[in-house]
Amino acid sequence: MLAKRPDVRQAELSFRSAFELTNAAQASFYPSFTISTASLGYAGTLFKPENLAASIIGNIAQPLFARKQLITQLKVAKAEQQAALLTFEKTVLAAGKEVSDIIYTYESSVKKNEIRNKQVESLTLSVSDTKELLTGGAISSYLEVINAQQSLLQARLNQVSDKLQQLQATSDLYRALGGGVE
């Protein structure tokens, strides 16, 4: 699923490009032969065989004369390929860590929400019991009922905050997995 991320795609394409450039550098060691009107010796309507022979010999001998340059180009291409591979690996690992962190945040917010639900239930019962105690005369002040209601309100606000964190983690996970990007 990480392959859909733009940064992972970019690193993969960079690695593929470096790989193909290494293949091209290796292929430059082999002689090449191209046929064109100039290599066949056509000048107007005249055919010159010496131009054909010179072209063939030049194309075959060129890799021999430029060997050190070709070796250097190959070494550079291999080094760039290795650097692109390391960048790709680093990008995939960073993407995996980001997704893992988001999943952890989501799971912890779900667990917090379960605990918060129990807290809200118990504080709702506490408010109800405090009101009954006030009407029964067991407590003398309405202040205790207000304190219980204030605790319940704070627990509900925390519950909403936990739910928001859970939804934000879901949205972050969607984005981290490359969602919404074409």
Side-chain angles (χ1 to χ4, degrees):
M1 295 187 75
L2 294 177
K4 292 183 178 183
R5 289 176 54 114
D7 56 340
V8 173
R9 276 194 225 164
Q10 178 63 37
E12 179 185 5
L13 291 175
S14 294
F15 173 67
R16 284 183 183 181
S17 173
F19 177 78
E20 294 303 329
L21 289 174
T22 301
N23 287 343
Q26 286 175 336
S28 66
F29 281 97
Y30 301 110
S32 63
F33 181 69
T34 56
I35 298 176
S36 67
T37 57
S39 65
L40 291 175
Y42 284 109
T45 58
L46 298 175
F47 173 71
K48 297 182 181 177
E50 63 272 6
N51 287 349
L52 178 62
S55 176
I56 292 173
I57 291 172
N59 287 333
I60 291 174
Q62 183 179 4
L64 297 175
F65 295 131
R67 183 156 179 83
K68 285 187 180 182
Q69 180 185 5
L70 295 175
I71 289 172
T72 303
Q73 287 175 351
L74 179 61
K75 286 180 182 179
V76 168
K78 283 184 178 182
E80 288 174 351
Q81 179 183 352
Q82 186 65 27
L85 176 62
L86 293 175
T87 301
F88 174 68
E89 289 174 351
K90 180 182 172 187
T91 303
V92 170
L93 289 174
K97 181 185 180 310
E98 181 182 354
V99 168
S100 177
D101 290 347
I102 292 170
I103 289 174
Y104 176 78
T105 301
Y106 175 81
E107 290 174 348
S108 68
S109 69
V110 167
K111 288 177 185 176
K112 244 196 289 186
N113 205 13
E114 291 171 3
I115 294 169
R116 195 74 68 189
N117 286 339
K118 291 178 184 176
Q119 181 185 20
V120 167
E121 287 176 17
S122 100
L123 287 173
T124 302
L125 183 60
S126 172
V127 167
S128 165
D129 290 344
T130 307
K131 284 181 181 178
E132 284 183 29
L133 288 173
L134 180 66
T135 57
I139 56 174
S140 61
S141 162
Y142 194 71
L143 187 59
E144 291 180 35
V145 174
I146 292 174
N147 285 339
Q149 288 176 334
Q150 183 179 10
S151 296
L152 175 61
L153 176 63
Q154 188 59 45
R156 285 186 176 160
L157 289 173
N158 290 339
Q159 186 180 33
V160 169
S161 175
D162 293 342
K163 187 63 177 176
L164 177 63
Q165 184 182 19
Q166 182 181 354
L167 293 172
Q168 183 64 43
T170 303
S171 173
D172 290 346
L173 182 62
Y174 178 73
R175 181 195 47 76
L177 290 174
V181 178
E182 286 298 320

